[in-house]
């Protein structure tokens, strides 16, 4: 995937841009795209809205999709779950174990080598060390190989050393705005700083040592006055859907608008 930019159009198709030639490829079939993941072998995987998880092979004539389902989540068929993100951790299963966040069904574990789903993990109110909710929007592995899950109930961290789930809410997000945490990435230069995208609330700068939001971008209707009155200058930018750090340590986010 080197020198290619992959852009999902939420619940539609996607575009792939060759950054060296600027040549664009538009996949026209409605595959209900949600997000992309590049594995350790440079393969591209696509999460979709109720159309399985897909491995994409680039050929001279176009893109070929291999679709994988889950026997654990079935509404209409084995592909009818909503996958929102994929990650791996060298300390939490290795490169062949995919942790797949699901929008309404918890976490799905997938064996990349065997090409099959292994297990479904869902919210259990009696397990204080389990996941916080079944409603998960994104999943990410930081530089310490800890896994972070973005949810409708704040964030969950899977500690690589203790190998257990720890969840907490972000009280600063309680209020009048739509506030689902939709993406996370560690800062390239400051170990305790993380960046988050929040659907409806823009981009947040977060200190993991204090568990506090220390800055907000595109959060207010009017950034100059930091108020919710007057013209909504930041409407388009508030609707951030995920976050990605590239090989040059630049952070990217897609938006609804």
């Amino acid at each position: 995937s080197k020198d290619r930019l992959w852009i999902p159009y939420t619940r539609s198709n996607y575009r792939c841009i060759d950054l060296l030639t600027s040549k664009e490829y538009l996949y026209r079939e409605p595959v209900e795209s949600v997000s992309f993941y590049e594995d350790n072998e440079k393969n591209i995987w696509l999460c979709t809205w109720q159309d399985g998880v897909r491995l994409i092979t680039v050929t001279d004539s176009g893109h070929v999709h291999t679709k994988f389902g889950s026997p654990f989540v079935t509404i209409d068929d084995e592909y009818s779950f909503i996958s929102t993100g994929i990650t791996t951790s060298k300390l939490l299963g290795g490169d062949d174990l995919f942790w797949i966040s699901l929008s309404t069904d918890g976490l799905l574990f997938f064996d990349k080598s065997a090409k099959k789903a292994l297990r479904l993990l869902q919210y259990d109110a009696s397990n204080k060390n389990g996941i916080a909710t079944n409603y998960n929007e994104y999943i990410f592995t930081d530089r310490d190989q800890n896994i972070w899950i973005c949810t409708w109930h704040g964030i969950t961290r899977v500690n690589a050393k203790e190998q257990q789930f720890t969840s907490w809410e972000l009280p600063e997000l309680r209020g009048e705005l739509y506030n689902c945490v939709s993406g996370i990435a560690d800062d390239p230069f400051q170990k305790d700083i993380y960046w988050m995208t929040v659907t409806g609330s823009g981009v947040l700068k977060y200190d993991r040592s204090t568990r506090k939001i220390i800055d907000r971008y595109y959060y207010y209707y009017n950034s100059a006055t930091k108020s919710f009155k007057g013209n909504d200058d930041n409407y388009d930018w508030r609707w951030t859907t995920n976050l990605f750090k590239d090989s040059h340590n630049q952070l990217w986010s897609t938006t609804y608008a």
Side-chain angles (χ1 to χ4, degrees), residues 3 17-24:
D3 297 321
I17 303 174
D18 188 315
L19 298 178
L20 296 179
T21 64
S22 297
K23 184 178 179 180
E24 299 187 13

Side-chain angles (χ1 to χ4, degrees), residues 236-251:
D236 290 349
W237 302 100
R238 282 213 317 273
W239 294 91
T240 48
T241 56
N242 54 41
L243 199 58
F244 173 71
K245 181 170 63 177
D246 68 19
S247 58
H248 299 290
N249 284 326
Q250 299 176 115
L251 297 177

Side-chain angles (χ1 to χ4, degrees), residues 111-171:
D111 187 321
K112 184 185 72 170
S113 295
K115 301 290 193 300
K116 69 175 184 179
L118 301 176
R119 180 191 175 195
L120 181 69
L121 178 65
Q122 294 191 309
Y123 171 69
D124 180 356
S126 65
N127 182 5
K128 66 178 182 180
N129 293 321
I131 59 176
T133 176
N134 286 332
Y135 297 88
N136 303 298
E137 290 296 301
Y138 194 66
I139 193 164
F140 168 77
T141 300
D142 67 17
R143 61 169 64 89
D144 298 321
Q145 298 302 300
N146 301 307
I147 289 178
W148 296 75
I149 306 168
C150 302
T151 83
W152 282 90
H153 291 275
I155 50 179
T156 295
R157 183 181 65 194
V158 191
N159 189 294
K161 293 181 180 180
E162 300 172 359
Q163 298 198 4
Q164 68 179 23
F165 297 89
T166 304
S167 303
W168 61 94
E169 293 189 7
L170 303 176

Side-chain angles (χ1 to χ4, degrees), residues 54-67:
R54 297 177 174 223
L55 173 62
I56 301 176
T57 304
V58 179
T59 69
D60 292 337
S61 58
H63 292 186
V64 177
H65 289 208
T66 305
K67 187 163 63 170

Side-chain angles (χ1 to χ4, degrees), residues 1-39:
S1 66
K2 184 180 179 181
D3 297 321
R4 292 193 181 102
L5 179 65
W6 299 78
I7 305 173
Y9 298 143
T10 302
R11 301 197 64 182
S12 182
N13 47 21
Y14 66 85
R15 189 178 299 272
C16 180
I17 303 174
D18 188 315
L19 298 178
L20 296 179
T21 64
S22 297
K23 184 178 179 180
E24 299 187 13
Y25 175 84
L26 176 64
Y27 191 84
R28 297 185 179 279
E29 294 184 26
V31 290
E32 303 283 335
S33 300
V34 175
S35 68
F36 287 103
Y37 174 72
E38 180 181 5
D39 68 22

Side-chain angles (χ1 to χ4, degrees), residues 187-202:
D187 188 274
F189 310 107
Q190 296 176 278
K191 184 175 181 180
D192 285 331
I193 300 301
Y194 284 66
W195 296 85
M196 297 181 190
T197 51
V198 183
T199 305
S201 294

